[in-house]
Amino acid sequence: DASTESLVRQWLRAARHTLILTGAGVSAESGVPTFRDALTGLWARFDPEDLATEAAYREHPGLVWDWYEMRRGMVRAVAPNPAHLAIAQWAAAHPGTVTLVTQNVDGLHQQAGSEHVIELHGNLFRNSWLHGCGRCDAHRTDTTHPPSCTACGALLRPAVVWFGEDLPRVALYRAQHAAEIADVCLVVGTSGLVYPAAGLPGQAKAAGAKVIVVNPQPSALDATADAVLQMSAGDCLPRLLAM
Ligand code: APR
């Protein structure tokens, strides 16, 4: 409501360090389906948790590769929404005070102009090697489906964090450091179900930060929040972060 919003705006203006943590909900209004909303069409019968694993990739490389190719095509077809833009503009207007940490792999924050985005779960548009042999100085991909190294046969894989895999260490360290020094932690569009990302708001709160949740639905982080704004990110953030 308006009074909560004005209180939150005060917190944000007074903050020396703001940690912004985003999830799939910040990209929902761009047209990118969230993980736990029903996936549409061909993929509706698949649960991301069944596809986004190394075991799934080893068992059905073509299917999992095509799932990522479909998601890449979907993201290429959309644009950042007002929530992404509000975050980018706020951070640009308050240099050195905002750390943006995202669970998303869609690169839309960067497209909106955000810099130094901490991508805890990697990025759809980067690839890496599934257990390369380590001997090939530069893997050369051939036209198999999915692409594999012509020298050692290692499979190319999306550079995203699969369930059961560790997060990139440096990214996680930087995110946890930001939580330690944050005066305010703004949590946007995440169900708060997947750790360690979901642990950041609690860590910030324990270190003295005010925690704000923006989500049209209840989330697992509401209990940690000092303020919950049950609104969509595209409606709420342009107002919260208006200069
Ligand atoms: N504005 C804000 N929040 C929204 C909007 C919106 N327009 N639309 C949906 N949401 C909220 C939903 O209510 C939900 O709480 O976004 C959240 C999306 O939750 P998930 O689909 O669980 O996505 P996320 O929290 O990012 O998932 C975390 O889990 O699947 C893994 O690695 C994957 O990064 C992902 C992680």
Side-chain angles (χ1 to χ4, degrees), residues 62-155:
L63 174 80
V64 175
W65 182 262
D66 289 349
W67 184 53
Y68 281 96
E69 284 296 280
M70 177 280 288
R71 290 174 60 198
R72 285 169 175 151
M74 187 167 57
V75 171
R76 282 194 195 97
V78 303
N81 68 63
H84 295 111
L85 295 165
I87 290 170
Q89 287 153 14
W90 175 268
H94 301 81
T97 73
V98 176
T99 302
L100 174 58
V101 177
T102 189
Q103 300 171 86
N104 301 339
V105 295
D106 58 29
L108 288 176
H109 282 302
Q110 292 91 322
Q111 269 195 59
S114 287
E115 297 176 340
H116 317 303
V117 182
I118 298 175
E119 295 179 307
L120 288 181
H121 295 164
N123 185 295
L124 263 185
F125 297 99
R126 283 201 302 273
N127 286 318
S128 57
W129 291 98
L130 184 63
H131 300 316
C133 65
R135 288 191 309 277
C136 307
D137 50 356
H139 291 295
R140 287 172 299 288
T141 53
D142 56 23
T143 54
T144 54
H145 173 248
S148 58
C149 173
T150 49
C152 72
L155 278 182

Side-chain angles (χ1 to χ4, degrees), residues 117-209:
V117 182
I118 298 175
E119 295 179 307
L120 288 181
H121 295 164
N123 185 295
L124 263 185
F125 297 99
R126 283 201 302 273
N127 286 318
S128 57
W129 291 98
L130 184 63
H131 300 316
C133 65
R135 288 191 309 277
C136 307
D137 50 356
H139 291 295
R140 287 172 299 288
T141 53
D142 56 23
T143 54
T144 54
H145 173 248
S148 58
C149 173
T150 49
C152 72
L155 278 182
L156 203 57
R157 59 163 286 174
V160 301
V161 177
W162 281 335
F163 287 100
E165 292 187 323
D166 290 338
L167 274 60
R169 271 196 307 279
V170 171
L172 182 55
Y173 171 76
R174 286 172 56 208
Q176 289 173 331
H177 174 69
E180 282 304 315
I181 64 170
D183 308 301
V184 171
C185 178
L186 177 62
V187 184
V188 186
T190 182
S191 56
L193 297 174
V194 174
Y195 283 77
L200 292 168
Q203 187 183 346
K205 184 162 184 93

Side-chain angles (χ1 to χ4, degrees), residues 22-26 28-29 34-37 48-49 103-104 121 161 163 188-194 214-219 231-234:
T22 64
V26 80
E29 287 154 281
T34 65
F35 284 90
R36 289 166 183 85
D37 294 342
E49 310 213 4
Q103 300 171 86
N104 301 339
H121 295 164
V161 177
F163 287 100
V188 186
T190 182
S191 56
L193 297 174
V194 174
V214 175
N215 193 322
Q217 304 294 329
S219 83
M231 279 178 261
S232 76

